[in-house]
Amino acid sequence: MKQYFKTKSLWFLLLIFALFIRIMAALAWEQHFELSDYSCIENQKGIDDQKPFFFGDSDSYWTLGRALAFSRPYQHGKENWTIFRMPGYPLLLMPLFWFGGENPPLFWARLENAFCGMLTVALVGCLGFLLFRDQRIALLAAFFAAVDPCSIVESILVLAEEPFVVTMLLQLICFVVLFYKIDENNGTKILLSNKFLLRPFWSIAFWTSALGLTSALTVYFRPDWFYFMPFVFLFMFVYLLSDQFKTSSKNRSKKRELISSKTAQKTVFYRTNRLEPFLKSEKKGLFSVWRQIRYKRMICVVIGATVVFWTALLPWILRNERLTGRFIPTTLQMGASLYDGLNPNADGSSNMNFVEQFRLMEQKYPSDDPSVHFEVRLDRRFKKAAWEWIRENPQKVLELAVIKFLRLWNFVPNEPAFSSTPIRIVLLITYLPLLILGIIGAWGTLGLRSERPWDSVESDCQIIQPNDAQDKNECSNLLKSSKSVFVSSETTSGLRKAKSVAPVSFDINRFQYQGGFPYWLLWLPALYITLLHIIFVSSIRYRTPAMFGIMILAAATIIFGVDYYRTKILQSKQ
C-alpha cells in the first residue's frame, strides 16, 4: 500500500511539474517571440508589419475560433477561405471568445495548450505501462515527454499540434487494446473472470467505437492523419498472417508430442501473456486462416471503426458538400501543400508566397467551369501544377525527399530564429540520446516471436490442473510469475476459476523484450510521418508526435539495460 501511494505521488508531482514548466515557457515566449495581445495591432497605424503570432497558421485558427464563437461564417483571410482548415482546433478555441469577448488574451490559448501538454505526459505514461506493465518505464517515458524542449514549445503555441497529440495517443491506446482482444494469444494481461472477456462482443464494440471516434478527432485536428488508421490496419493484418505461418513443422510436432503425453483431451497452453486453445481444428491451408476467430474479429473491428470514423466526419462532409457540391472529407489544403513541397523553388521548407499568384491567375483565367466553387478550382490548379513538375523533374523530387528527411530528423533547428548556440546544444543533448535509444528499442520489436509456449514447456514452466476446489490465490500466484504456465483440465471452464493479471515476460538474459505488433505502434507514427513529409514540406515541428513513441522505447531500453547489468552483478557475486 505504501508503494502504491508513493507511485501515485510521483505521478502527481510529474504532471504538476510538466504543467508548471509549460506555463513558464508560455510567459517567456510572449516576451521574446510573439505579442501578448492580438487586438493591439488591429486598426493601428505604424505597426502593420508586426504580427501577433510567430507562425502564420495561428492567425487562421484564431480567426476561425472567433467566427465559431459568434456564429459567423466559417472563413478567414482576404480570399475568404472556407474549407482550408479543419474545425477541430477552432472549436477548442471557441470557449475563449465566449468568456473573453472579441479579443481574449492569447495567454488563455497557450494555457489551454499547456493543459493538453500535461495530458500528453499522462497518456505517454499510460501507453508505456499498458505495453510493458512496468511503472519505471511509464514514469521515465512520461518524464522524457515532460522535459522535451520541442514538446514544451508546441504546448505553448496557438497551433493544433498539441491537441492532436492527445487524440493520437488515445488512438494508439485503442489500437493496443483492440489488438489484444483480436489476437488473444498476445495480451499483456489476461483477466480470466473479467466481464468484458466473458462477453467479448461488448468489449470489442466499445473499443472499436473508441478507435473510430479518436481517429476522426485526429483528422479534425490534423487532416494528414486521414490515412493512418488503414495504414496501421495493414501492418496488423500482415503481422497476423506472418505470425500464423511462422509456426514450423517442428513446433507442431512438439505440440502434438506434449499433448499426447498429457491425459486431457482438451488442453490449453497458458503463458504469462498468451492464451491459445490449440485443439480447435486440424484444418490446414490458407482458407483455414479465415476461419480463426482473430481474423473474424479483425474484419469486424475494421468495418466497425470505419463506420464510426465516417459517421464522426459526416457533419463536416455534409457542410462541404452543401458549399461546393463535391465530396470533400477533409480540406482543400492538399493542393497548396503539395505544390509547397514540390515546385521549382522548393527547398524542403514552407514558403506559401505563390498562393497569391495562383489565386489571381485562377480568378482571371478559370481552369474549369466558373460555376464550380473557387476553392475547388484553385486546389485542382495547385495539384495539376505540382504533378506536372513531378513528371518533368523526377530526379529533383528524389533529391528533395532526402533533404526533407534530413530536415525532419535534424539534430539542430532548421528555423534561423531558433539557431542560437544554446538552443542547438539543448536540442542536441535532449534529442540525440533519445533517438539512439529509441532505435535500439525499436529494433527489439521488429522480430516476430521465435518461440511458442510449448517450445520450452519442459524447462521453464509449471503445470497446474485447476478444478473447482483449487485455491484461487495459489493459481494467481503461479500466473504472476515470469515463467510459462501449462494449464490442463477436462474442460476449458476451469480457466475461469482463476483471477489474475499476468505481467509481460522479458528475457533479460538476452536483453530482448517480446516483440510484436503492439510494440510496433510506438514507431509506426514515425514511419507514417516520415513517408508523409518526404512528399510535403518538412520541419522539426512535424516530427514531435512521432517522438513520444520513441521516448517510450528509449525508456524501456534504459530500464532493461539497468536490469540486465544488475542481474549480471548479482550473478557474479553469487
Side-chain angles (χ1 to χ4, degrees):
M1 183 64 70
K2 187 181 294 185
Q3 181 66 28
Y4 169 77
F5 284 110
K6 181 179 179 181
T7 304
K8 193 174 181 180
S9 300
L10 286 175
W11 277 108
F12 177 77
L13 292 174
L14 180 59
L15 295 179
I16 294 300
F17 170 73
L19 180 61
F20 173 77
I21 196 173
R22 280 158 175 76
I23 293 175
M24 293 297 101
L27 294 172
W29 181 271
E30 288 194 344
Q31 292 180 0
H32 293 88
F33 292 102
E34 294 182 357
L35 300 178
S36 60
D37 186 2
Y38 184 86
S39 62
C40 68
I41 69 163
E42 294 186 354
N43 301 322
Q44 296 187 28
K45 297 180 180 180
I47 56 174
D48 293 338
D49 57 335
Q50 295 189 23
K51 295 181 180 180
F53 300 108
F54 187 86
F55 294 99
D57 296 350
S58 301
D59 183 72
S60 61
Y61 288 125
W62 191 257
T63 303
L64 292 172
R66 181 193 291 117
L68 290 174
F70 299 108
S71 301
R72 297 169 186 168
Y74 187 81
Q75 58 189 30
H76 72 94
K78 297 179 181 178
E79 298 81 10
N80 294 330
W81 304 107
T82 59
I83 318 177
F84 198 74
R85 293 285 181 205
M86 293 295 288
Y89 190 52
L91 284 171
L92 199 62
L93 294 174
M94 182 172 61
L96 305 182
F97 296 92
W98 289 345
F99 296 102
E102 288 282 341
N103 295 292
L106 295 181
F107 185 76
W108 290 7
R110 305 190 198 284
L111 188 62
E112 192 177 55
N113 270 12
F115 275 99
C116 290
M118 182 184 68
L119 186 57
T120 296
V121 173
L123 290 174
V124 168
C126 289
L127 181 59
F129 184 76
L130 178 65
L131 287 169
F132 296 101
R133 305 296 293 173
D134 192 319
Q135 286 282 5
R136 299 172 300 166
I137 295 176
L139 278 167
L140 185 57
F143 175 76
F144 288 154
V147 301
D148 179 59
C150 293
S151 177
I152 293 173
V153 171
E154 291 197 357
S155 298
I156 61 176
L157 298 176
V158 186
L159 292 172
E161 265 75 358
E162 201 61 31
F164 160 76
V165 168
V166 172
T167 56
M168 182 203 72
L169 290 171
L170 289 172
Q171 183 189 32
L172 294 179
I173 290 173
C174 292
F175 269 121
V176 171
V177 174
L178 274 174
F179 180 79
Y180 292 147
K181 293 185 177 298
I182 290 173
D183 187 19
E184 292 180 342
N185 305 336
N186 300 281
T188 38
K189 62 180 182 178
I190 301 171
L191 300 173
L192 296 178
S193 62
N194 192 297
K195 293 182 179 179
F196 276 163
L197 185 60
L198 299 181
R199 299 178 177 87
F201 171 78
W202 297 111
S203 177
I204 293 177
F206 171 80
W207 287 103
T208 299
S209 301
L211 175 61
L213 182 60
T214 53
S215 299
L217 288 175
T218 58
V219 175
Y220 271 117
F221 285 110
R222 186 167 170 174
D224 57 9
W225 214 248
F226 184 82
Y227 299 101
F228 184 72
M229 187 170 70
F231 180 77
V232 172
F233 278 139
L234 176 63
F235 273 85
M236 184 187 296
F237 178 71
V238 171
Y239 173 81
L240 289 175
L241 280 182
S242 302
D243 186 43
Q244 172 68 28
F245 292 109
K246 192 174 178 63
T247 305
S248 63
S249 59
K250 180 179 178 181
N251 287 336
R252 291 194 186 96
S253 62
K254 283 186 177 182
K255 177 187 69 173
R256 295 191 185 96
E257 180 182 353
L258 184 59
I259 291 174
S260 62
S261 65
K262 306 304 174 183
T263 58
Q265 292 183 352
K266 290 187 177 180
T267 306
V268 177
F269 288 86
Y270 192 100
R271 200 176 184 179
T272 43
N273 48 346
R274 302 174 67 81
L275 173 62
E276 181 176 357
F278 290 116
L279 297 181
K280 280 190 173 181
S281 174
E282 292 296 329
K283 297 177 181 178
K284 299 180 181 180
L286 179 62
F287 291 102
S288 65
V289 171
W290 302 103
R291 298 187 180 96
Q292 295 189 17
I293 189 171
R294 62 179 181 178
Y295 294 101
K296 295 178 182 178
R297 286 182 178 179
M298 181 175 178
I299 293 173
C300 293
V301 166
V302 171
I303 295 174
T306 303
V307 169
V308 175
F309 175 78
W310 285 104
T311 302
L313 287 179
L314 190 60
W316 177 250
I317 295 172
L318 293 177
R319 180 256 185 190
N320 294 341
E321 197 277 335
R322 179 176 56 82
L323 289 177
T324 65
R326 298 289 191 279
F327 173 76
I328 303 173
T330 54
T331 67
L332 293 174
Q333 188 181 2
M334 180 179 175
S337 299
L338 184 64
Y339 190 79
D340 190 20
L342 298 167
N343 67 76
N345 300 317
D347 60 358
S349 62
S350 179
N351 185 357
M352 302 290 283
N353 294 332
F354 59 84
V355 173
E356 182 66 15
Q357 178 185 355
F358 274 76
R359 185 186 68 83
L360 294 175
M361 190 179 302
E362 183 59 36
Q363 286 181 340
K364 190 173 182 180
Y365 306 105
S367 58
D368 203 342
D369 188 345
S371 62
V372 177
H373 193 275
F374 176 75
E375 286 184 76
V376 175
R377 289 187 279 117
L378 185 60
D379 182 67
R380 291 174 179 174
R381 183 181 284 269
F382 282 131
K383 291 179 180 177
K384 182 180 179 181
W387 285 114
E388 288 179 353
W389 185 82
I390 292 172
R391 286 193 295 268
E392 295 173 359
N393 303 274
Q395 184 176 355
K396 182 64 176 177
V397 172
L398 295 177
E399 293 176 1
L400 280 173
V402 175
I403 294 173
K404 293 171 186 177
F405 177 85
L406 296 177
R407 285 179 57 87
L408 183 66
W409 299 102
N410 201 355
F411 302 143
V412 295
N414 301 305
E415 179 65 38
F418 303 112
S419 295
S420 63
T421 302
I423 294 179
R424 285 171 175 260
I425 294 175
V426 169
L427 186 63
L428 186 66
I429 293 175
T430 56
Y431 166 67
L432 189 57
L434 281 180
L435 182 63
I436 296 174
L437 292 171
I439 291 174
I440 295 173
W443 181 260
T445 69
L446 288 177
L448 296 173
R449 293 179 303 275
S450 59
E451 294 182 356
R452 295 290 177 174
W454 57 84
D455 289 342
S456 55
V457 69
E458 296 180 356
S459 60
D460 70 341
C461 81
Q462 302 178 42
I463 299 178
I464 59 177
Q465 294 181 335
N467 49 56
D468 293 343
Q470 177 117 18
D471 185 6
K472 296 179 181 179
N473 293 329
E474 179 184 353
C475 188
S476 178
N477 292 332
L478 285 173
L479 295 176
K480 287 180 180 179
S481 66
S482 61
K483 296 181 179 181
S484 301
V485 178
F486 175 82
V487 181
S488 176
S489 64
E490 293 185 359
T491 62
T492 56
S493 61
L495 289 173
R496 296 183 183 176
K497 301 299 180 181
K499 293 182 179 180
S500 170
V501 178
V504 179
S505 177
F506 300 105
D507 186 356
I508 200 64
N509 293 325
R510 288 183 291 175
F511 188 40
Q512 291 180 351
Y513 49 86
Q514 181 174 335
F517 176 79
Y519 301 96
W520 294 5
L521 289 167
L522 297 177
W523 51 262
L524 278 178
L527 177 61
Y528 181 83
I529 288 174
T530 301
L531 294 175
L532 200 66
H533 288 285
I534 61 175
I535 300 174
F536 300 97
V537 294
S538 180
S539 174
I540 289 177
R541 164 188 167 188
Y542 300 114
R543 80 173 181 219
T544 303
M547 288 300 299
F548 295 108
I550 294 175
M551 291 174 189
I552 297 174
L553 290 169
T557 304
I558 292 173
I559 296 300
F560 295 156
V562 170
D563 288 349
Y564 173 77
Y565 285 108
R566 183 181 298 173
T567 303
K568 286 293 185 182
I569 292 173
L570 291 175
Q571 290 177 350
S572 63
K573 289 181 178 180
Q574 292 175 356

